[in-house]
Amino acid sequence: MKVIICGAGRVGYGIAERLAAEDNDVSVIDTSATLVQAIRDTLDVRSYVGHGAHPDVLAQAGADQADMIIAVTLYDEINMVACQVAHSIFNVPTKIARIRAQSYLKPHWADLFSRDHMPIDVIISPEVEVGQMVLRRIALPGATDAVRFADDKVAMVAIECLEDCPVVNTPLLQLSELFPDLLATVVGVWRHDKLFVPHSTDQLETGDLAYVVCDKDHVRRTLGLFGHEEQEAGRIVISGGGNIGYYVAAAIEERQPKTKVKIIEADRDRAVVIADSLSRTVVLNGSSLDQNILIEADIQNADLMVALTNDDQVNILSSVMAKRLGCKANLALINNPSYQSFTKTLGIDAHINPRAVTISRILQHVRRGRIRAVYSVQKGSAEVIEAEALETSPLVGKPLRNLDLPDGVRIGAIYRDKQVLRPDGSLKIKAKDRVVMFAALESVRHVEQMFRVSLEFF
């Protein structure tokens, strides 16, 4: 696949890195010579210094032969125009744009991005994507990661196995026998900084991070089985009243009217704006690094501190301070990958990487075959994939125990006729089933092949 990426920032670099590793033909455009040089020095891609919306620059990058353009510069308008030019002049089939300004995304203006006006096939809104991820984490205390698939009926949760975890040192097959009515499957394990797909005879160990795919109605029970009985937060303090912080607070007001929320926002004008827009949320103007402000927010009695500012260091330090002052748990937004590896040692319970969230959303549309959703874990070491089985798929019609699945792939759940099925050995996948599976990076291409339309089908 030939892909042009406009924007060489963190998201653009991350997408280029993933696609180049999979032998795609990738070209990157950015106005910053420094960012372009960094890509040239580290990745096997073509790179160009220039304006991603200019026709001559797109032509130089090979837009006339491109299968896809991904516009992720810092500016919405450049991303929009780049897609328009790619469509009108070069007839690029698939156009993806990152758009941050929520005014563009209001339902009233939905027709703006239709084929007859400004043709963009996929719109990525990082603030909304990250905000939804934060809300999922808040709703599932005890999970260090959580994402939904199959019309929100299937969940993937990452669960840390602590010292008192009841399921350690027990073969996974035995767990299935002990809890036959529990629709949950351990599909991946992160142990000693390495990710692997477990076999039924493998056992979990203390310190493992287990990736579990389950029916959404069985998530609480699954967390309890792993020893996580944390209660949902009733008092939440949010550090940062930007787009993400405001989105999260507004959603909590709408969905969880009994939850008490306070926002700490450093910019006075912004604090006034969000205070006027929110009905029950208390907004405090000040720095979340100011101990007096934290105490004013009653952090010592809070259940959860959610740090969502644009500054990683503020998010990390304010989360640590909150725990020291008595807050029960914390969740921090962290952009810099180098900071993410030592969050646990600092006392940060969970973190969200906004770049990973955005990249996962884009990969969903890059993947070949009937791929409906993709979620990348552990810096791209593996992906959780939801795919639709076709009549020609080699998975259809055979008992699961007889399938020749590649190494590094484990099926977590099957969604059929609005029902979640657990993948036992006798179950047969049918055409139009939606299969949620865990795939190590080196096996992703095999998964794509399993869900592609065969030429024999036509």
Side-chain angles (χ1 to χ4, degrees):
M1 181 182 287
K2 182 172 178 57
V3 182
I4 295 176
I5 300 170
C6 298
R10 283 177 175 161
V11 172
Y13 183 96
I15 298 166
E17 184 179 36
R18 292 294 297 276
L19 296 183
E22 297 170 16
D23 298 325
N24 291 286
D25 185 348
V26 180
S27 298
V28 181
I29 301 169
D30 201 285
T31 55
S32 169
T34 303
L35 292 177
V36 169
Q37 188 60 49
I39 279 188
R40 285 176 181 164
D41 292 343
T42 55
L43 301 180
D44 183 18
V45 303
R46 284 188 288 274
S47 52
Y48 305 88
V49 178
H51 198 293
H54 289 178
D56 56 335
V57 178
L58 287 171
Q60 186 182 2
D64 58 326
Q65 299 176 357
D67 300 297
M68 176 182 294
I69 182 169
I70 303 171
V72 287
T73 74
L74 294 175
Y75 305 100
D76 293 351
E77 291 73 20
I78 292 177
N79 297 337
M80 292 157 64
V81 174
C83 289
Q84 178 72 69
V85 172
H87 171 81
S88 301
I89 298 179
F90 302 103
N91 200 28
V92 177
T94 304
K95 299 158 287 290
I96 299 175
R98 177 172 65 176
I99 297 179
R100 294 180 179 275
Q102 297 304 299
S103 58
Y104 285 126
L105 305 178
K106 292 180 179 178
H108 185 68
W109 316 118
D111 196 44
L112 173 63
F113 300 107
S114 68
R115 191 170 184 83
D116 294 331
H117 296 105
M118 188 168 288
I120 300 176
D121 301 295
V122 181
I123 292 172
I124 308 294
S125 175
E127 284 79 9
V128 172
E129 299 286 341
V130 173
Q132 290 174 347
M133 176 64 73
V134 171
L135 291 168
R136 285 196 292 269
R137 296 286 191 87
I138 291 173
L140 294 174
T144 61
D145 202 353
V147 67
R148 294 281 184 87
F149 297 93
D151 299 335
D152 283 348
K153 296 296 190 295
V154 175
M156 187 286 296
V157 288
I159 312 172
E160 187 177 2
C161 298
L162 303 175
E163 289 185 5
D164 57 350
C165 178
V167 300
V168 297
N169 302 323
T170 305
L172 297 180
L173 178 61
Q174 189 174 332
L175 289 177
S176 300
E177 294 170 350
L178 288 171
F179 305 96
D181 61 333
L182 181 65
L183 299 178
T185 303
V186 178
V187 292
V189 177
W190 177 258
R191 178 184 296 165
H192 305 315
D193 295 330
K194 289 185 179 179
L195 190 73
F196 67 93
V197 175
H199 297 97
S200 58
T201 54
D202 288 334
Q203 301 179 12
L204 294 172
E205 298 178 2
T206 299
D208 284 353
L209 186 66
Y211 289 92
V212 185
V213 172
C214 57
D215 185 308
K216 75 172 182 64
D217 294 329
H218 292 211
V219 173
R220 294 280 186 185
R221 186 180 167 197
T222 301
L223 287 167
L225 181 65
F226 277 74
H228 288 276
E229 302 282 0
E230 293 92 337
Q231 297 299 309
E232 193 167 338
R235 296 172 180 265
I236 300 174
V237 176
I238 297 174
S239 168
N243 289 334
I244 299 174
Y246 173 78
Y247 178 91
V248 171
I252 293 174
E253 282 193 349
E254 180 182 348
R255 303 175 194 177
Q256 302 165 230
K258 294 183 179 179
T259 301
K260 296 181 179 179
V261 180
K262 295 180 181 179
I263 295 179
I264 300 173
E265 168 55 42
D267 183 270
R268 180 173 178 78
D269 292 339
R270 177 63 181 174
V272 170
V273 169
I274 60 176
D276 290 341
S277 303
L278 296 167
S279 57
R280 295 190 311 276
T281 302
V282 176
V283 180
L284 302 175
N285 174 223
S287 170
S288 55
L289 295 180
D290 184 337
Q291 184 168 316
N292 292 327
I293 288 289
L294 289 173
I295 292 173
E296 186 180 346
D298 199 26
I299 196 70
Q300 60 273 21
N301 294 313
D303 299 309
L304 179 66
M305 166 73 156
V306 185
L308 301 174
T309 76
N310 292 323
D311 189 320
D312 284 354
Q313 295 178 21
V314 171
N315 291 341
I316 291 171
L317 290 172
S318 62
S319 297
V320 172
M321 287 177 64
K323 284 285 285 285
R324 295 280 172 87
L325 290 170
C327 185
K328 294 184 179 67
N330 55 34
L331 171 63
L333 191 70
I334 303 177
N335 286 277
N336 192 331
S338 62
Y339 291 158
Q340 295 163 13
S341 57
F342 57 78
T343 53
K344 280 291 179 187
T345 58
L346 291 175
I348 294 175
D349 300 308
H351 70 271
I352 290 175
N353 178 357
R355 183 180 76 161
V357 174
T358 305
I359 291 174
S360 291
R361 181 85 164 80
I362 291 173
L363 285 175
Q364 171 182 339
H365 302 281
V366 173
R367 293 278 170 254
R368 300 173 177 89
R370 291 292 183 89
I371 307 299
R372 285 177 165 265
V374 171
Y375 185 69
S376 180
V377 301
Q378 294 297 343
K379 300 178 183 177
S381 299
E383 293 177 8
V384 187
I385 299 172
E386 177 195 341
E388 181 181 342
L390 302 167
E391 291 180 13
T392 55
S393 171
L395 300 178
V396 171
K398 301 176 185 176
L400 293 185
R401 66 168 63 92
N402 295 338
L403 292 180
D404 186 22
L405 290 176
D407 290 336
V409 174
R410 187 171 173 87
I411 295 175
I414 294 164
Y415 185 60
R416 177 189 300 162
D417 298 330
K418 298 183 179 180
Q419 193 172 17
V420 179
L421 306 176
R422 184 162 133 181
D424 62 51
S426 60
L427 183 66
K428 296 179 182 179
I429 294 175
K430 296 181 180 180
K432 296 187 178 179
D433 282 354
R434 284 149 72 173
V435 184
V436 180
M437 60 182 66
F438 189 92
L441 183 59
E442 60 272 13
S443 302
V444 168
R445 183 153 293 181
H446 296 292
V447 172
E448 289 180 309
Q449 291 294 335
M450 288 189 291
F451 291 94
R452 292 186 75 175
V453 178
S454 169
L455 290 175
E456 299 169 0
F457 184 70
F458 295 100

